[in-house]
């Protein structure tokens, strides 16, 4: 819990608007639930899926798209992949 919450709190403080406070709380709870190794895999998968979605948005809407992408749905997808496939 301390690993997930602390790491994403650091990201929150550094980036300003990049990661929200809700995402910090979400990763703290996931760290408590999953442990630090599975949390790292979940975070990697979450960022990978959100990057793929972001690239798709840019291709669809053009380069000047300033749409914000919520992280929580991709965290759910990453957590499901991690739990279902025992990564």
């Amino acid at each position: 819990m301390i690993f997930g919450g602390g790491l994403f709190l650091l990201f929150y403080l550094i980036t300003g608007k990049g990661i929200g406070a809700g995402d910090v709380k979400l990763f703290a709870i996931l760290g408590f639930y999953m442990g630090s190794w599975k949390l790292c895999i979940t975070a990697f998968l979450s960022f990978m899926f959100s990057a793929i979605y972001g690239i798709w948005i840019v291709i669809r809407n053009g380069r000047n798209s300033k749409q914000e992408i919520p992280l929580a749905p991709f965290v759910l997808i990453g957590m499901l992949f991690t739990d279902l496939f025992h990564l």
Side-chain angles (χ1 to χ4, degrees):
M1 183 172 179
I2 293 171
F3 175 73
L7 183 65
F8 282 89
L9 179 63
L10 182 66
F11 291 160
Y12 173 72
L13 295 174
I14 290 173
T15 62
K17 285 188 165 185
I19 294 179
D23 297 326
V24 174
K25 296 172 199 171
L26 177 62
F27 275 100
I29 294 300
L30 284 178
F32 178 72
Y33 170 71
M34 303 178 93
S36 60
W37 177 247
K38 283 190 173 185
L39 182 69
C40 290
I41 296 170
T42 299
F44 173 75
L45 290 174
S46 303
F47 292 141
M48 185 183 69
F49 290 133
S50 65
I52 291 169
Y53 179 72
I55 291 169
W56 181 72
I57 290 291
V58 168
I59 290 171
R60 190 183 71 178
N61 295 341
R63 286 184 145 187
N64 296 329
S65 178
K66 300 290 182 183
Q67 181 179 352
E68 292 184 5
I69 301 172
L71 186 60
F74 300 105
V75 172
L76 175 66
I77 294 168
M79 183 188 74
L80 289 175
F81 266 74
T82 303
D83 277 348
L84 291 176
F85 297 116
H86 301 287
L87 299 174

